[in-house]
Every structure is written in C-alpha cells, then in structure tokens.
Amino acid sequence: MALNRPIAPLVHGDHSVRGVMVKVLYALVPALLVYVGFFGFGILIHMVLAVVVAVAAEAVMLRLRGRPVRPFVTDGSAPVTAMLLCFALPPLAPWWVTVVGVLFAIVVAKHLYGGLGNNPFNPAMAGYVLLLVSFPLPMTTWPVAFTVSGEYPGPLVSAAIIFLGPDGVASWDAITGATPLDLMKTQLGLNQVVPEIAAHPVFGDFGGKGWEWLANAFFLGGLWLLYKKVITWHIPVAMLGSLFIMSLGFAALDPGSHPSPLFHLFSGGAMIGAFFIATDPVSAATSPRGRLIYGAGIGILTFVIRTWGGYPDGVAFAVLLMNMMVPTIDYYTKPRVFGHGPQHGPEHGRDHGRDHGRG
Amino acid sequence: MSTRTGDFPGGLHLDGHKTPSSGRAVETMPVPPLLVFPLHQHIGEPALPVVEVGESVLAGQLIAHAEDYVSAPVHASTSGRVVAIEKRPVPHPSGLPAECIVVEADGEDRQAPCEAPGDFETMDLSALRNRIREAGIVGMGGAGFPTFIKLNPGPGGDIDTVVLNGVECEPYITCDDRLMQERAADIVSGALIIRHAVGAGRCVIGVEDNKPKAAAALRAAARDGVTVQTVVTRYPAGGEKQLIKILTGREVPSDGLPLNAGVVVQNVATAAAIFHAVSEGRPLISRVVTVTGPGVAEPRNLEVRLGTPVADVLAHCGADTAAVRAVVVGGAMMGFAIHDLASPVVKTTNCLLVDAVADDADQPQMPCIRCGACVEVCPQLLLPQQLYWYASVRDFDKVQDYSLFDCIECGCCNFVCPSHIPLASYFRFAKNEIWAQERERQRADRARERHEFNQARKEQEERERQERHRRKKARLKDPPDEAAPADSKKAAVQEALKRAQARKEGLEAGTEGTEDRG
Ligand code: SF4
Ligand code: SF4
C-alpha cells in the first residue's frame, strides 16, 4: 500500500501571520482606550471606516492580482495597517481623509509592490505622508486633550464633525489647537525659549497633556509585544535610545532651544513608532545588527526632522527614509555564519563543505 | 552571538514526546523470517557481495565486503540462506530501490565464530582501526559515516578531544537515552578505545540535562578520565557542530570537519558498538531502535537485528501494518519518510516514527513577512529568509553567497516561521539542485576534455602524416649525403617509439576518464 510521505519537520510552533497580527491589535488596545479617553470618539469612527475600507481594498486587490483571497484577507495585516494609520490622523478629520489614506496604503504601498511581504515601505506611514503633503490643512487640525479644552467630543458630535464638517459645532475652536510638538516648533521659531513654551497648558509632565499618557500606553503595549516575542528589542531600543541621546546632547548644550529628551520620547509618534511602526517586519531590516542600525537611523532622523526640518514630527518620514536604506543595511549586516570565524568578513560566504552529519 | 562554552546560538525548546518510550527498558525483538541487507548503509561506496544466492550464512558472517576506502562491510545478522541479491526497497529519502542481499532465516540463529577478543591497548593502531572497519561500524546517530575513517586523523590531524554524543535532542527518540542508562559501561569502554585510537587526552560524554538517569549511569560507569557533562536541553544541541561548541567552545570551520577543531565526535551507540567489535570481536548486526508515534499503541525501544523489515518491527509492536499511513525514519525534525514498509532497519535507523503527520499540515503557506523569527533560531547564524528568497527564485549563486551549505537542515527556522514556509525543504531542494548541476557540469567537462583530446590526437596524426610526406618529398628531391642515413634512420626510429609511447599513455588517460564516471 502507498504510504504518505510527510516532510520533516513534523512539529511546528504555534506561530502564524494572523497570530502575530492579532497580538499587535491586542497590544494597541490600551493606547486606543487612552486615546478615546483624552480625545474623544473620533478615532473609533475613523477606525471602523478604515478597517472596512482596508479589508475591502485588500479583497479587491487580491482578486485583481489573482491571489487566493481567503487566507490573505483573514491574515489580519490590513486591519493592522488601518489601525496604525488612524493613530496618525487627527481624530476629527473629514471621513475622506481616512478613505484616501487607507486606499493609498493598501492599494499602492502594499499591493502594487507585490502584496504582503513585498512592500518596501510601511503602508501606514506611506498613507500618512501622502495625506500630510496633499491635504495639510485637515491633517494639522488636531483636537487638544479634553483636560485642556474642557470639551469632550462624544460619539454624535464626533460623527457629525467627521461626516458633515465642523460648521455649526459651536465649540470647534475650543476643541482644536496646536499639538505640543507643533507648538514647540512654532514658538522656538519665534525665538521663545523652551521653559517659556513649556508653561503652555497643553504641556504635561514630560510630553503633552494626554499625549504622554498615550505614549505610556504604547510603551505598555510594546512591552507586551516584546514579552510575547512578536517583536525583538533591537529596533525600539535603538530608536528610542538614539532619539534620547541626540536630544540629551543638544538639550545639555543649549537647553533654551532644545526640549528635554523625555519630551522627545513622550511626544508625537516616538513611542508608537518605536514599538509598532518601525518594528513592522516587512519593511524593516532583518538581522539583529541590521535592526540596531535601522532603529538608530530612525531615531536620529526623527530628531533631525523635528529640530531642523519643516514638520513638527519626523517619525513617519524617518521610517520611510530608513525603509529605503533597508536593502543596503541588510547587505552589509549579514551575520557571521557559524564556523566562518570572526576573521572572515561578511562577504566570505561561499563554500562547498557538506555538513558532516551528526554522529 | 553567544561565544561562551556551554551554549550555542539559536535553537528551540521543543516538547519532548519522549515519555512513552523513555521509561521502558530495551527489549529484544525476535529474528524475523526474512532479512534484507542493503549493500549501502553508510556514506561512501556500496559494499560488494561475497556470497551467492543459495549459500548458507551464519550470524555475524561477512556477506558484503568494503572495496573502497569510504565504505563499510555488511554482515548477516542471523543464520540462514541467501535467497536473492537484487534491488529492494531501502530506507532512503529518494525512495529508489537499491541492491540488497536477502537472507531467509533458518530460525537457529547460529553464530559465526567471533574474532578473538582483543586488548585495544596493546593492539597496533592500524590493526585496531581495521578491526573497527571489519566490524562494519558506521555512525549510528543517523549520518552513517564509516567510523574507522574518523578514527584516523591522518597527518596534520591533531585531535585532543573525543566527544561522545549522548544528546538526543530530537523529539520522540529515546534509544540512546535507554542505551546510556542500560549499557553505560560499554559506552565508556568504547570511549576509551576511541580516545586511544586518536591519541586524544580528553574524552567528554555530552548528555542533555533532561536525561538525569542516563547522565547518572554514565557518571557511575565513567573511569580513566572520561568525564560526563550535561548540556542545555535545546534543539539542536546534538548537532555535531553545536555539541562541539557547547563542550569545547570551539567552532568547526565552515569548510572543515570536527577534526579541524581538534575534535572527533561519535554517537554513544557507535561507541558501544566499537567496544563490542574490539573487545568481543562482534560485528555490528543489531541496534536499538525507538518505535514510537501516534501509530503505535505502545512506544518502546527494541534491539532489532539489522535487516529486519520495518513492517515486522511495527507488527511486533502491535501495529496493524495494513493501516499504517506513514513512517518517518529518524526524528520529527530531521527525519525522512520511507516509501515502503518492506524497507529494512539498517545501521543508521535510530527511530521509526509511525503515522506522525505535520501538525500544521492544514495551514496555508503565506509569503515571508521578513519577521526574522527564523534568523533568531538558526543555530548556524544563517539568514533563512534570504536563503528562502534566493532558493525560491533558483538563484543558486546567491544562495551560496548566503552560505546555503552551512545549513544543517535542522528545521528550526521552519518550526518558527509564522508564514508556515517549509524552509528546510527549500534548502534541501537547493542543495540537491546544486549538486546535480555540479555533477552535470563535471560530466560535460569530462566529455569536452575527451572530445578535445581526440581532436588533438587527430590533428597530431595529421601533422605527422604531412611531416612524413614532406620529408619523403625532400629526400626524393635532393638525396642525403653519405654519413647521414644511419643517423637519421636511428633518429626516426627513436621518434616513432616516442610517438607510440605518447599515444599509448594518452589513450590510457582517455579510457580511464571514461571508466571513472561511466
Ligand atoms: S520566519 Fe518565515 S516569515 Fe519570518 S522572516 Fe523567516 S521565512 Fe520570513
Ligand atoms: S534548517 Fe538551516 S537555515 Fe534553518 S535554522 Fe537550521 S541551519 Fe538554519
């Protein structure tokens, strides 16, 4: 009789792409709660919209590309992209901002580059940057934390603003204001010094009011991902470490025109970037050493863009710029192969020695 | 990464699946009615039969002789009559039948006279190695490399450490564990012989720290400087390179052998076989096999005569052989499936894993998401995702740039891949393709050389013919002076002789070329 011929290994770990994605979604929950707590229901509305659009776009693209739809649509990668993008959008931005951003992320940044696993750029960040450069006004109209404004946009108000626009919302001016990073940048540009600026009510203990808690929540989720081995420490540590060191150096030299390292770490996209964006495996460097370089590059570029660039936050641009560097980084950080001896460089890879078995 | 002694990079913590069989003492399986002895149970050239169909043989009698250096003789494992020498199914990943000697047992199990027991310490080293060679001993951990070769470091080989591999890191397998518990003294005696043979000072037996009983038994039996060292329970700690790293802190050079790190590694079962061969004059005719997996009701370790068909072993373990769906030889991580239950147990058969199916068989393969999980677990510090990428697009230069041939096919990367990519299979495939290409290239090279040689010879003959012609014409035109004829005649004879000689040599070289790789 014919025997089956299973191929070793016959045992496997319980890892799956979906499992990884689901864990990332879980890890985002604390941040989502904090976000809703401080900035209202807008983000939830955008997220529902974003996930629906993302999954639909994913399905259509898979069909067009002739790929099996089911396993891919259910792999969870599209919802993760959608949710990460929503954390970068102003929660009361018009609905079409999300639709355009998600479509660009999924259709162009992901599928036109070959779909899951082949996209050189982080789709969420590509979508965000497209929106930022195309629609600067809605993309920079941010609400301030309700602890500052006293106004909490509930579900109905949020939905009305998102789908109908802010006209007729009496408190619109109270709700919106500059983000801490934005304020810091514009005020420094007006020759104010950091301690003066930090006296403004939007600033909290080390970041912005509300924002610093959000950063804490991302940090928490990130630690959980580390614990669950979904991500490794290399990228977060390298990115936050380099951002910390850069900002510490400049703040020590000139505290008047450079905010503290803590402000840098707990403001804007630093935390979500370090744990959720830069660690996106598809678009990041692969070897442990490569990841250290990649993460450090993002941290340094973030600081440079925030300090001297044209945008208040630099994480998205830094990630995309380092995405471009990945092939080069990967090439020069091939680990030393076991048995190749430290004396040999990374290029010493060729040999024909068959392995000698075991025993 | 880690360069400490006692550890190796990467690896996995695997569930054991060992308890069903590890608690049971080794039982001896009765001799089956029909035994099949493949002539090729080792790495190297097949042995050549020295018996004929119809001949009677005794247990332990030589039935196939090792002609080449890298080869191992085969012995009958019971008494009976040779009924066939033909191609039969054998346990090999290819599933191709191979030449076997088939013996019908007479049920009397009469033993051939053993070689006189020897004292290894007074034996001449080459006699000692020869004895191990004649006993047909090959690596019993699964690789099947003829053992005596490893015991012959040769000039330049400077071995200071003997490592005995008692690390059974594959899930399910327990035969070495039991052997260490039950026959520790034999193993230690074997270790002493190996140490003596290679002139090493140090001898360490490495045992995983999840086998306390085996370690204790070995410690109790250890003598004359043989030490027992427990090692981390992390797959693949039993890989030769990994074990050497753990026990000595040395790395076997990528293109080298353990002996380049001053180490010789032998599996514990091989050591016991060496002891039996040298001190008792017994050739290798049986081995302990773990029979386990979902398809056997009672997993156990059996001492099986070599040549016993797998079907008989399974039937002995109470399996309904008609219902068996799959048998993997070796472990769940690195084993291979046999194509036919008629395949026999051979010298390298350490485990029969019955009806184990891949536990993620229903998971679809997804694209690589470059998560790097495979990078972290690779004990050889390779970049499996890059290897996979280049192997899947058949870029065989690039896979070699990424050190494909350093892959030990341990399957760790495969195990952790969230996209369920059968990475190890891709690497096996790429290696086979490259070897096939290499063979093809060599064949083409030889054909071309042969063609060029023939061409050159024809041209040479043509030149010579023309030369003769020219000289003849010249002679006719102006006849030579008186003194010359004798000289030129002599020279011409000399030249003709030389030409004939050269032609003969050339021809020989040519035919040799063809025979070599026919
Ligand atoms: S584990 Fe699988 S998905 Fe992850 S990088 Fe390796 S091959 Fe790609
Ligand atoms: S199978 Fe090869 S590439 Fe994969 S982990 Fe083992 S040695 Fe590394």
Side-chain angles (χ1 to χ4, degrees), chain B residues 374 377-380 382 384 387 406-413 424 427:
Chain B
C374 51
V377 296
C378 177
Q380 291 291 103
L382 301 170
L387 285 172
D406 282 287
C407 170
I408 58 171
E409 294 173 29
C410 63
C412 287
C413 50
F427 306 153

Side-chain angles (χ1 to χ4, degrees), chain B residues 444-460:
Chain B
D445 277 358
R446 257 192 311 278
R448 186 173 44 74
E449 274 162 24
R450 242 187 341 259
H451 176 74
E452 279 167 7
F453 173 80
N454 285 337
Q455 206 65 19
R457 196 179 56 194
K458 272 190 205 134
E459 278 164 21
Q460 169 87 4

Side-chain angles (χ1 to χ4, degrees), chain A residues 247-316:
Chain A
S247 49
L248 181 71
F250 280 93
L253 285 177
D254 183 1
S257 46
H258 291 282
S260 77
L262 281 183
F263 176 78
H264 272 287
L265 296 190
F266 286 88
S267 297
M271 276 306 165
I272 186 176
F275 288 100
F276 291 88
I277 307 280
T279 50
D280 161 34
V282 175
S283 55
T286 50
S287 72
R289 211 151 45 94
R291 288 177 175 178
L292 286 176
I293 297 170
Y294 174 78
I298 293 174
I300 292 168
L301 284 176
T302 299
F303 182 82
V304 168
I305 295 168
R306 281 181 178 182
T307 308
W308 298 291
Y311 290 89
D313 199 354
V315 173

Side-chain angles (χ1 to χ4, degrees), chain A residues 4 10 282 284 291 338-340, chain B residues 251 254 325 332 370-371 406:
Chain A
N4 289 335
L10 301 174
V282 175
R291 288 177 175 178
F338 194 67
H340 277 261
Chain B
E251 281 184 29
S254 161
R325 281 165 291 130
R370 295 167 37 97
C371 66
D406 282 287

Side-chain angles (χ1 to χ4, degrees), chain A residues 65-84:
Chain A
R65 293 176 54 229
R67 296 298 149 101
V69 175
R70 254 246 283 168
F72 284 93
V73 152
T74 52
D75 67 14
S77 62
V80 165
T81 298
M83 289 191 57
L84 289 174

